[in-house]
Amino acid sequence: MSVARVTEITAASPNGFSDAVKIGIARAVKTLDNVTGAWIQDQEVRVEGDKVVDYRVHMKVTFILTD
């Protein structure tokens, strides 16, 4: 029997939501073992002037705890 844990991560990218997700997962796997998936809880953009300058995702990352 395994036990899973969930942690929340916010990641940002100037290139789009997909890139922000990839950046967040890449950072998560540096410190978490056995990452199995993520749920994108929310998305937002940051605007300066009349341009989108940042895409942000708030995600919940699931990982399995080992014995």
Side-chain angles (χ1 to χ4, degrees):
M1 177 178 183
S2 60
V3 175
R5 184 160 183 162
V6 176
T7 189
E8 293 186 32
I9 293 178
T10 299
S13 169
N15 300 319
F17 291 118
S18 178
D19 196 46
V21 170
K22 291 175 186 174
I23 288 169
I25 295 297
R27 177 60 183 91
V29 300
K30 284 184 179 180
T31 55
L32 302 173
D33 293 328
N34 306 313
V35 172
T36 60
W39 172 60
I40 307 307
Q41 181 177 2
D42 192 22
Q43 298 177 334
E44 65 180 280
V45 295
R46 190 167 57 93
V47 177
E48 289 182 3
D50 60 349
K51 298 190 187 254
V52 174
V53 296
D54 211 19
Y55 298 85
R56 294 181 183 195
V57 293
H58 305 281
M59 64 179 102
K60 294 188 177 188
V61 177
T62 303
F63 59 101
I64 305 299
L65 300 174
T66 58
D67 294 338

